[in-house]
């Protein structure tokens, strides 16, 4: 019985694998064509829950998103990304990959991986391709350490602006803290109105 089952199951498994491979290849080719002809879109570099959340927010705002990942999985529906996101496999530091993602007509590039040096290299690669890029392109590169972020941002300003690419180094945690204080300002005790006193607990170190 097992032999008879295997006789029919083996061809079915082979066909299933061929279908999955053909589907992935076809999806990749269609994605490359759509990315190449995209206009004023956002290129996001990296993987992880934070980038999935960002992609969802951008799509909800009506923007077109192209995500560059180290490797696009065969099951393109299991990532939690909206189907509108175009996913391209490759290294975003590679000029050919950036061009395949439609850098020439992109609105902005966001390098938000956990590796600050990697993000900086993406920004360098984008800036190197400034010739032929539509003016007004912005490249956001995350630097995890706030002090280092301030230093590289100052160096970027001192190096002089590019005619077509503006590179912005930022710290996600620093911006989140500033946004939090903008939304919930802390008022000194001697300036607080009756009932305006707020207890603030700071958890962490450094």
């Amino acid at each position: 019985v097992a032999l008879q089952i295997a006789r029919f199951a083996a061809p079915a498994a082979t066909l299933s694998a061929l279908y999955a491979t053909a589907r992935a290849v076809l999806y990749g080719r269609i994605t490359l064509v759509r990315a190449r002809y995209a206009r004023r879109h956002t290129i996001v570099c990296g993987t992880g829950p934070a980038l999935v959340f960002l992609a969802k927010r951008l799509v909800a705002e009506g923007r077109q998103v192209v995500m560059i990942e180290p490797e696009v999985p065969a099951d393109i529906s299991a990532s939690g990304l909206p189907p509108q996101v175009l996913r391209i496999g490759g290294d975003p530091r590679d000029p050919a990959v950036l061009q395949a993602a439609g850098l020439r007509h992109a609105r902005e590039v966001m390098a938000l991986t956990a590796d600050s040096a990697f993000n900086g290299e993406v920004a360098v690669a984008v800036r190197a391709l400034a010739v032929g890029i539509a003016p007004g392109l912005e490249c956001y590169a995350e630097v995890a350490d706030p002090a280092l972020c301030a230093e590289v941002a100052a160096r970027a300003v001192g190096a002089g602006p590019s005619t077509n690419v503006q590179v912005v180094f930022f710290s996600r945690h620093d911006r989140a803290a500033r946004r939090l204080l903008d939304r919930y300002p802390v008022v000194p005790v001697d300036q607080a109105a009756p009932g305006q006193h707020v207890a603030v607990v700071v958890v962490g170190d450094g």
Side-chain angles (χ1 to χ4, degrees), residues 23-24 72-79 87:
R23 181 171 178 264
V72 178
D75 186 2
I76 57 179
S77 62
S79 64
R87 305 171 67 185

Side-chain angles (χ1 to χ4, degrees), residues 67-151:
M67 179 172 286
I68 302 177
E69 304 174 83
E71 183 177 354
V72 178
D75 186 2
I76 57 179
S77 62
S79 64
L81 288 169
Q84 299 93 327
V85 176
L86 304 178
R87 305 171 67 185
I88 295 178
D91 189 338
R93 298 170 296 181
D94 186 346
V97 175
L98 288 171
Q99 291 173 349
L103 179 67
R104 185 171 183 178
H105 299 286
R107 172 181 180 178
E108 55 200 353
V109 179
M110 298 182 178
L112 309 177
T113 70
D115 188 343
S116 299
F118 185 94
N119 298 335
E121 291 173 0
V122 173
V124 171
V126 171
R127 193 181 180 96
L129 294 172
V131 177
I133 292 178
L137 175 66
E138 294 179 329
C139 179
Y140 297 92
E142 182 178 14
V143 179
D145 183 82
L148 178 60
C149 179
E151 182 177 348

Side-chain angles (χ1 to χ4, degrees), residues 13-190:
T14 302
L15 290 175
S16 177
L18 289 174
Y19 170 76
T21 302
R23 181 171 178 264
V25 171
L26 182 61
Y27 171 82
R29 292 187 179 278
I30 293 176
T31 299
L32 288 175
V33 173
R34 293 178 60 189
R36 182 169 298 177
Y37 289 98
R39 295 294 184 272
R40 303 298 294 167
H41 58 290
T42 299
I43 300 176
V44 180
C45 307
T47 58
L51 292 178
V52 172
F53 175 80
L54 174 63
K56 289 181 177 179
R57 288 291 300 271
L58 293 173
V59 170
E61 294 176 4
R63 300 197 205 180
Q64 187 172 11
V65 178
V66 176
M67 179 172 286
I68 302 177
E69 304 174 83
E71 183 177 354
V72 178
D75 186 2
I76 57 179
S77 62
S79 64
L81 288 169
Q84 299 93 327
V85 176
L86 304 178
R87 305 171 67 185
I88 295 178
D91 189 338
R93 298 170 296 181
D94 186 346
V97 175
L98 288 171
Q99 291 173 349
L103 179 67
R104 185 171 183 178
H105 299 286
R107 172 181 180 178
E108 55 200 353
V109 179
M110 298 182 178
L112 309 177
T113 70
D115 188 343
S116 299
F118 185 94
N119 298 335
E121 291 173 0
V122 173
V124 171
V126 171
R127 193 181 180 96
L129 294 172
V131 177
I133 292 178
L137 175 66
E138 294 179 329
C139 179
Y140 297 92
E142 182 178 14
V143 179
D145 183 82
L148 178 60
C149 179
E151 182 177 348
V152 295
R155 288 179 179 271
V157 172
S162 170
T163 55
N164 292 338
V165 180
Q166 179 184 1
V167 178
V168 179
F169 294 98
F170 73 98
S171 167
R172 185 188 318 177
H173 305 293
D174 179 73
R175 289 205 173 189
R178 295 178 185 274
R179 182 69 178 271
L180 180 67
L181 291 176
D182 288 341
R183 182 173 296 182
Y184 305 103
V186 177
V187 181
V189 175
D190 57 350

